[in-house]
Amino acid sequence: LVETVEPGGGSVQAGGFLRLSCAISESYYNPKSMAWFRQVPGNEREGVAAIEMGGGATFYADSVKGRATISQASARNTIYLHLHSVRPEDTAIYYCAADHMPPSLERWSVRSLYTFWGPGTQVTVSA
């Protein structure tokens, strides 16, 4: 899994907009769920959003609900996370995750249930 962030470098002013992308580099892998997690040093890695691949069901953390949209690209091996009205508390390392099981309300944010992870990309929101 390969994560990228726009604007480049992942630094943005509060109130601005970010787009995170995650592409599956292994062409043979077709996950049923993909998700975004984030982690601040010293804190647990928390689920931000998840999507059922090909099915459209989406899930969001309360902290980003109304500000975030997770979507699957037409090239089905890529997902996006659009985050607007960003806040300093959105500052974290963002990780993309994938699994062969479809997401559900109970499991989408459980870190241990995801099989594959990207290396993470830094997002910094300045006040």
Side-chain angles (χ1 to χ4, degrees), residues 2-21:
V2 180
E3 302 117 335
T4 56
V5 59
E6 299 174 28
S11 295
V12 66
Q13 296 279 335
F17 177 87
L18 286 170
R19 186 177 84 160
L20 292 153
S21 305

Side-chain angles (χ1 to χ4, degrees), residues 61-77:
D62 288 342
S63 58
V64 299
K65 203 168 288 182
R67 300 189 295 122
T69 302
I70 188 169
S71 60
Q72 180 179 359
S74 55
R76 68 179 306 278
N77 63 343

